Amino acid sequence: MRIGELAARAGTTTRALRYYESRGLLPARRTGNGYRTYDERDLKLLRQIRTLQDFGFDLEETRPFVECLRAGHPEGDSCPASLAVYRRKLDELDTLIGELQTVRAQVGEQLVRAERARAALAADAAVPGGPEPECELGGLKQ
């Protein structure tokens, strides 16, 4: 099949295919008249790359999976190098999740402090002669 058909079947663009080719992930075979030609194995490589990228893997992280498929394995993640990439990605995700949990806790604490401060201002405003609450963003009275 030619590049346009492969791109359509893989759900990508011809530009992306040429980029994958330039990065050594997609084989560059040419017909006598110079057209790129591909087969079902190439479609399988592309589907593997696209699936991993959809999961957040960068292009270079897909290389062991592509090489595993090229070596004749039925799945791109059946080789030790692919499994190592999975492990590294899970470690990376666990680190990011931990960082997000820390930020979430900090935002939650800030919200509690802000709500307490607002409640205190409202209570002071209820006292005759107490301060009027103001919006911090625009200085408008509530």
Side-chain angles (χ1 to χ4, degrees), residues 45-64:
L45 290 177
L46 280 174
R47 287 184 173 151
Q48 178 77 77
I49 292 168
R50 302 277 299 159
T51 298
L52 292 169
Q53 286 191 304
D54 288 347
F55 291 157
F57 287 67
D58 66 38
L59 193 57
E60 196 55 36
E61 288 173 319
T62 69
R63 189 172 298 281

Side-chain angles (χ1 to χ4, degrees), residues 58-130:
D58 66 38
L59 193 57
E60 196 55 36
E61 288 173 319
T62 69
R63 189 172 298 281
F65 298 85
V66 169
E67 290 171 356
C68 190
L69 285 170
R70 279 189 181 162
H73 296 274
E75 301 298 328
D77 57 7
S78 60
C79 296
S82 303
L83 298 175
V85 172
Y86 276 151
R87 286 185 194 97
R88 279 194 309 271
K89 184 55 81 173
L90 284 174
D91 287 344
E92 178 185 319
L93 290 169
D94 288 340
T95 298
L96 291 172
I97 289 168
E99 290 171 3
L100 286 171
Q101 287 173 330
T102 299
V103 170
R104 188 191 188 292
Q106 291 169 342
V107 170
E109 290 168 8
Q110 186 62 32
L111 174 61
V112 169
R113 280 194 294 275
E115 287 174 336
R116 284 185 185 145
R118 186 169 193 278
L121 279 175
D124 288 345
V127 174

